[in-house]
Amino acid sequence: MSDPAPAERYARASDSARRGRTHPLTAAFAASQPFDLDPFQLEGCRALEEGRSVLVAAPTGAGKTIVGEFAVHLAMREPGDKAFYTTPMKALSNQKFRELQEVYGVDEVGLLTGDTNINGNARVVVMTTEVLRNMLYADSPALRGLRYVVMDEVHYLADRFRGAVWEEVIIHLAPSVRLVSLSATVSNAEEFGDWLDTVRGDTEVIVSETRPVPLEQHVLVRGDLLPLFDDRAGIATAQVNQELMRIRSFKGSNFENNRRVQSANSARHGGYEAPRRRPNRGMKRPVRSANVQRIERMDRPDVVELLSRANLLPAIFFIFSRVGCDAAVQQVRRAGVRLTSPEERQEIRQVVEERTRTLLEEDLAVLGFWEWRDNLERGVASHHAGLLPAFKEVVEELFQRKLVKVVFATETLALGINMPARTVVLEKLEKFNGEARVAITSGEYTQLTGRAGRRGIDVEGHAVIQWTEGLDPQAVAALASRRTYPLNSSFRPTYNMAVNLIDQFGRAKAREILESSFAQFQADRAVVGIARQVRELEESLAGYAKAMTCDRGDFAEYSRIRRELSDLEKTNRKDANASRRTRDERQRHIASLRKQMQRHPCHSCPDREHHARWAERYWRMKRDVDKLRRQIETRTGTVARIFDRVVDVLAALEYVAVSDDGATALTPAGRTMRRIYGERDLLVAESLRRGIWKDLDAASLAALACALVYEPRRDDGGPGERGLPRGAFRTAFDATLTLWQELDDLEREHRLPGSEPVAAGLSGAMHSWARGGTLDRVLVEADMAAGDFVRWSKQTIDLLDQLSIVADQPIAGTARKALDAVRRGIVAYSGV
């Protein structure tokens, strides 16, 4: 492409200068960055500088977070202002915490992730979204001075288990807080932006589908990297490479095969061509088998060396199986592949020793430390949820520093963590979803291949699909071309949410708030707008009610009598043809109302007519509010109806008290439930109230808490009766299971879905761990990877921490002891 003409360059420079004058803070911030900001980044920063909220939807690796960092920059300019940066994962929170510390210093940046609390009162705090939700419900003092909230990876609100938290935060944040929502490119970003604009006010929606580093798509057929798209056809048509289509349909002879090889040379003219691994041969082109239908897959070591020679490392191989990831590392190790220099190996060893020095010596062998370190020194690693968090953090750091060259990872790596590569390899385009093997979606494909291409380092990224039997190039092309996935709400009212909403707003207002959810917005967009009108009018009503306050008495009551009297007198004058009996009854009612009015203490107030003018405005607006409420009631009210069922269950169990006039208030048990978060909130609250855990010691309480958070795999039959602790634990567990059955029946009676049974599959191992058992024994007993055990242990700790706060003695004290017993060794490790 030729350089722009002088007139065009002048126009661009003039536009830039003009925008610099109108948005000086954005211009100064952009000038301080080590790279030129893209148009969508500048647009987002300018919207924030204008005092608006923003939704930025852009591809993975496009640099969305720069807009969030500008919000932090704006907060730090004003003394007393704060910014919260929320993420869906602790690993991402830890990473962002370190990055912001480098910019603003350790004193100004805090971290809150449930199990980590560092400098929580800082002006910039990085946290998981759940922590902010809990702050909002508790009306935490830390919210004072909050001006900006960045919600990174906001598309997580589609998550079936955790998504509701994002909507709760968005709805409950104070109107003065500017929201910066950062999302992957979703197909309905505009719809989501419309909802944000409805519930948060002025919100700029910025959508970019341009990758900062172009992505080249290849299919690896034996030793050849063939382009997925035919470059000659032009980007607009995105025509599939006909060579791939011929390979798929070929059933002919060697002659036809040779003709196809020749056409491949011309098809790749001007495109990328990588050499094939052929030791001790000088041939430039491979001679393929005559029967291309049975193309054998290249061994992983061969693929790694092919990418290395083609200068396409570092690379991430996505394998949808933990066992597959670990096996791939072993394959490469056995093949003797070594991708690092002596200097790099020395640097790797130093990082490993520094990051793992707090791990106990006796645990290292159990964790396979020595072989893991040797693999790292070769430049190869796996990355999946079963890996110890300390090991995962080391892999991430070494990959970012270009010391580890190849990572075999499950798809969890694609979610947010900053680990871009030059190349992404997909060995298969299907995965096991827990029930069956299913094809990956276009959204998953985009998320996975989005890791390819490092901004400022690579001219282009590369996505490599390995040829498999039955691969359809047209289907692959469709995955690569489609505009990702729609963002659908997973919001549903929970018991904890219900008691918090009722406590803060009352039942009627809580229903209106729920009508503002994205779930309801998608069900019936009009309801959200009406619900917002109601909320705004209610604020005015509160002002009018305050203005008509009278020190003599209840002026609202007095004005209601006056209004009723006035309406009745008008009706009497208009209805001249009414029967004598009707007119006499009406006159008696008028006389009664007049007497009530004259006897009312507000009637003698010298400012009576001044109050009355405000009262008239109040009743006129109340009539409008009531009309809008009736409109809401006649429309789809799915979320509010579920809320009503939840409240009915709470009322049946006496967590809320419902008066004769329908007013709802929390009971002492309901106030306890306000601070119990999680899938089992009702079961935990009811177990505490019935005292069925009061006789447990610390290890047994840890084991029971583990049973409440643990979610077994579908193929996990559990330990049966043999693996569970005896004595008080068995009694408490059986009582908890019976209680779960009672609550499940009650929920289903109220047309709620119920919950999964309590699973004690990990309780025996957790009991052993809390009693000081060794890591090797506990992992054998748990029959699970160290990373999984740590994850469930931290969720157990989170529940024990809640119990230590909300439970009465002796359970609260036991919970604190249990928490300390579980938080040791590999569970206590923190990389920050």
Side-chain angles (χ1 to χ4, degrees):
M1 192 171 100
S2 61
D3 291 335
E8 186 179 345
R9 289 201 301 271
Y10 176 78
R12 288 183 185 175
S14 299
D15 183 62
S16 177
R18 178 181 59 78
R19 289 184 178 275
R21 288 192 298 272
T22 56
H23 298 87
L25 301 181
T26 297
F29 178 75
S32 70
Q33 300 304 306
F35 52 85
D36 292 338
L37 297 193
D38 289 337
F40 84 90
Q41 295 170 322
L42 290 169
E43 192 179 348
C45 292
R46 288 170 187 145
L48 284 173
E49 186 173 352
E50 292 166 5
R52 303 157 79 184
S53 293
V54 293
L55 165 64
V56 181
T60 300
K64 298 182 288 289
T65 56
I66 200 75
V67 182
E69 288 162 13
F70 181 64
V72 175
H73 171 76
L74 291 177
M76 294 302 287
R77 292 183 73 256
E78 300 295 331
D81 281 5
K82 290 181 179 180
F84 288 171
Y85 198 109
T86 75
T87 76
M89 295 176 294
K90 292 176 183 178
L92 193 54
S93 293
N94 294 343
Q95 190 176 74
K96 195 54 139 184
F97 170 66
R98 287 189 287 261
E99 290 174 5
L100 291 172
Q101 274 189 326
E102 290 176 7
V103 178
Y104 298 106
V106 294
D107 294 336
E108 297 286 10
V109 184
L111 176 67
L112 296 172
T113 61
D115 59 354
T116 304
N117 186 336
I118 301 172
N119 200 15
N121 292 317
R123 291 180 58 198
V124 180
V125 185
V126 183
M127 61 185 69
T128 50
T129 318
E130 282 84 354
V131 170
L132 179 53
R133 185 271 311 271
N134 298 354
M135 278 186 177
L136 289 166
Y137 279 150
D139 195 22
S140 169
L143 296 169
R144 285 197 281 274
L146 182 61
R147 293 293 173 265
Y148 296 93
V149 166
V150 181
M151 301 194 79
D152 204 351
E153 308 286 337
V154 75
H155 51 272
Y156 255 80
L157 68 75
D159 184 82
R160 186 162 59 97
F161 299 107
R162 299 172 58 205
V165 176
W166 273 256
E167 292 191 48
E168 288 178 85
V169 168
I170 291 167
I171 291 169
H172 292 308
L173 276 172
S176 58
V177 176
R178 297 295 91 192
L179 190 66
V180 183
S181 304
L182 308 177
S183 171
T185 310
V186 293
S187 54
N188 61 335
E190 291 82 2
E191 179 190 37
F192 182 52
D194 287 346
W195 174 69
L196 288 173
D197 193 67
T198 303
V199 295
R200 300 293 315 163
D202 193 6
T203 300
E204 180 81 5
V205 179
I206 299 163
V207 178
S208 172
E209 296 187 59
T210 304
R211 284 177 49 95
V213 180
L215 183 65
E216 294 290 320
Q217 316 250 9
H218 312 275
V219 178
L220 176 58
V221 185
R222 297 192 62 153
D224 293 314
L225 284 172
L226 302 180
L228 174 60
F229 296 106
D230 190 339
D231 294 338
R232 297 170 304 170
I235 296 173
T237 59
Q239 183 179 335
V240 176
N241 185 351
Q242 292 304 299
E243 170 65 2
L244 293 171
M245 299 304 296
R246 280 192 290 273
I247 291 174
R248 181 170 187 260
S249 60
F250 178 74
K251 296 186 185 206
S253 62
N254 276 322
F255 173 79
E256 174 64 12
N257 185 60
N258 290 334
R259 188 197 62 74
R260 182 182 48 72
V261 170
Q262 292 171 2
S263 69
N265 289 328
S266 61
R268 272 192 304 276
H269 179 69
Y272 178 83
E273 182 175 347
R276 183 186 178 211
R277 186 171 185 255
R278 281 279 181 182
N280 305 319
R281 292 211 180 172
M283 294 175 62
K284 290 186 178 179
R285 303 289 309 149
V287 177
R288 293 188 179 87
S289 161
N291 190 349
V292 186
Q293 287 289 84
R294 291 197 298 267
I295 292 174
E296 294 181 4
R297 293 166 62 87
M298 287 182 71
D299 289 338
R300 286 170 179 139
D302 291 341
V303 179
V304 169
E305 291 197 2
L306 182 152
L307 296 177
S308 178
R309 287 195 310 277
N311 196 27
L312 292 179
L313 297 182
I316 299 172
F317 285 65
F318 281 111
I319 302 172
F320 303 115
S321 151
R322 299 177 184 185
V323 173
C325 291
D326 293 336
V329 173
Q330 291 304 317
Q331 280 181 290
V332 174
R333 175 190 177 88
R334 286 195 300 270
V337 174
R338 191 179 292 278
L339 304 169
T340 52
S341 67
E343 295 76 20
E344 287 174 326
R345 290 194 284 277
Q346 180 63 32
E347 192 176 346
I348 288 169
R349 181 166 291 218
Q350 289 174 353
V351 171
V352 170
E353 290 176 355
E354 170 67 22
R355 295 290 181 268
T356 61
R357 68 181 188 279
T358 59
L359 296 176
L360 300 177
E361 191 75 25
E362 60 266 28
D363 291 344
L364 295 181
V366 179
L367 298 168
F369 172 83
W370 312 109
E371 186 175 296
W372 171 73
R373 188 183 69 178
D374 182 63
N375 291 332
L376 289 176
E377 290 179 17
R378 292 171 178 272
V380 181
S382 63
H383 188 289
H384 53 72
L387 205 61
L388 190 71
F391 287 11
K392 278 202 294 188
E393 290 172 17
V394 170
V395 171
E396 290 159 13
E397 180 177 348
L398 293 176
F399 194 80
Q400 288 164 10
R401 290 168 64 166
K402 308 174 202 172
L403 295 171
V404 164
K405 319 292 185 181
V406 172
V407 170
F408 296 96
T410 55
E411 68 267 35
T412 54
L413 181 59
L415 303 175
I417 299 172
N418 181 27
M419 277 184 66
R422 177 164 293 173
T423 303
V424 162
V425 180
L426 298 183
E427 293 193 346
K428 294 181 180 178
L429 295 176
E430 61 178 21
K431 64 176 185 176
F432 185 69
N433 67 356
E435 295 177 350
R437 299 208 68 83
V438 296
I440 64 172
T441 66
S442 59
E444 288 168 330
Y445 183 91
T446 303
Q447 194 83 354
L448 296 167
T449 57
R451 291 281 153 212
R454 298 163 299 175
R455 184 170 185 149
I457 301 173
D458 298 321
V459 176
E460 59 192 14
H462 297 268
V464 176
I465 313 302
Q466 283 202 265
W467 185 275
T468 56
E469 189 70 27
L471 182 79
D472 181 359
Q474 293 280 14
V476 178
L479 277 178
S481 305
R482 201 172 298 137
R483 184 184 170 187
T484 67
Y485 52 91
L487 181 59
N488 293 315
S489 172
S490 61
F491 186 84
R492 61 181 177 83
T494 65
Y495 296 107
N496 171 272
M497 186 193 303
V499 294
N500 274 292
L501 288 174
I502 289 170
D503 184 51
Q504 288 193 29
F505 307 107
R507 183 172 182 172
K509 183 74 179 293
R511 290 181 95 259
E512 289 168 11
I513 288 170
L514 293 173
E515 294 284 8
S516 299
S517 67
F518 187 44
Q520 186 59 56
F521 185 83
Q522 290 190 304
D524 181 356
R525 293 182 63 160
V527 168
V528 178
I530 298 171
R532 186 180 182 198
Q533 275 184 274
V534 169
R535 287 204 309 278
E536 289 173 351
L537 291 175
E538 280 183 334
E539 290 175 12
S540 300
L541 276 177
Y544 291 166
K546 188 174 180 181
M548 69 177 178
T549 301
C550 177
D551 57 6
R552 302 282 179 103
D554 185 348
F555 203 90
E557 181 186 55
Y558 175 74
S559 64
R560 182 188 57 76
I561 297 169
R562 274 182 55 148
R563 188 177 184 82
E564 190 177 350
L565 176 61
S566 175
D567 289 345
L568 204 56
E569 287 176 335
K570 284 179 187 174
T571 302
N572 208 30
R573 285 195 298 270
K574 289 180 181 177
D575 194 9
N577 297 322
S579 67
R580 183 176 182 84
R581 182 180 174 183
T582 301
R583 291 177 65 84
D584 287 346
E585 284 180 1
R586 203 177 281 158
Q587 281 299 133
R588 281 195 295 273
H589 194 186
I590 289 172
S592 173
L593 287 171
R594 189 170 286 125
K595 190 179 293 183
Q596 286 181 51
M597 181 184 72
Q598 291 168 349
R599 289 178 178 176
H600 198 283
C602 292
H603 190 65
S604 59
C605 176
D607 294 324
R608 183 183 68 198
E609 293 310 309
H610 173 71
H611 296 328
R613 283 193 293 275
W614 285 108
E616 186 58 32
R617 295 173 190 170
Y618 175 89
W619 289 110
R620 201 159 45 232
M621 184 168 286
K622 188 174 186 310
R623 186 174 60 234
D624 294 340
V625 169
D626 291 343
K627 183 179 177 182
L628 290 172
R629 281 208 183 101
R630 285 193 296 274
Q631 285 184 37
I632 290 174
E633 288 168 6
T634 59
R635 294 173 184 266
T636 306
T638 313
V639 178
R641 281 199 297 273
I642 294 172
F643 171 74
D644 286 339
R645 294 169 194 166
V646 167
V647 174
D648 289 344
V649 170
L650 291 170
L653 294 168
E654 298 181 349
Y655 284 89
V656 299
V658 182
S659 61
D660 292 339
D661 62 357
T664 307
L666 299 190
T667 64
R671 285 192 285 276
T672 297
M673 186 186 276
R674 286 179 310 171
R675 302 188 70 179
I676 299 174
Y677 301 98
E679 292 287 310
R680 304 281 190 185
D681 47 9
L682 182 60
L683 181 58
V684 171
E686 192 66 4
S687 296
L688 290 177
R689 186 163 69 163
R690 298 190 188 191
I692 59 182
W693 302 339
K694 63 181 179 2
D695 295 327
L696 295 176
D697 60 14
S700 295
L701 185 58
L704 206 143
C706 178
L708 293 173
V709 300
Y710 178 59
E711 296 171 9
R713 298 188 304 270
R714 287 179 174 83
D715 57 350
D716 186 359
E721 299 290 309
R722 292 176 305 155
L724 298 180
R726 298 288 174 184
F729 173 85
R730 291 300 296 273
T731 303
F733 179 75
D734 289 345
T736 304
L737 197 56
T738 300
L739 175 57
W740 167 79
Q741 290 170 335
E742 289 179 25
L743 297 178
D744 193 62
D745 289 343
L746 182 64
E747 287 177 312
R748 294 181 192 282
E749 284 173 20
H750 286 84
R751 291 179 295 156
L752 290 170
S755 58
E756 292 296 316
V758 179
L762 191 55
S763 293
M766 189 60 66
H767 188 266
S768 299
W769 179 253
R771 293 181 64 193
T774 60
L775 180 63
D776 58 343
R777 175 190 161 191
V778 169
L779 291 182
V780 169
E781 195 173 346
D783 188 25
M784 105 181 3
D788 291 320
F789 181 72
V790 170
R791 185 171 74 257
W792 293 121
S793 295
K794 291 200 170 184
Q795 291 195 33
T796 300
I797 286 171
D798 185 53
L799 177 53
L800 290 169
D801 188 42
Q802 293 180 45
L803 294 179
S804 71
I805 296 168
V806 304
D808 295 328
Q809 296 297 349
I811 296 176
T814 306
R816 180 54 56 187
K817 291 176 186 174
L819 191 157
D820 293 337
V822 176
R823 188 187 279 149
R824 65 180 181 87
I826 62 172
V827 177
Y829 170 86
S830 175
V832 294

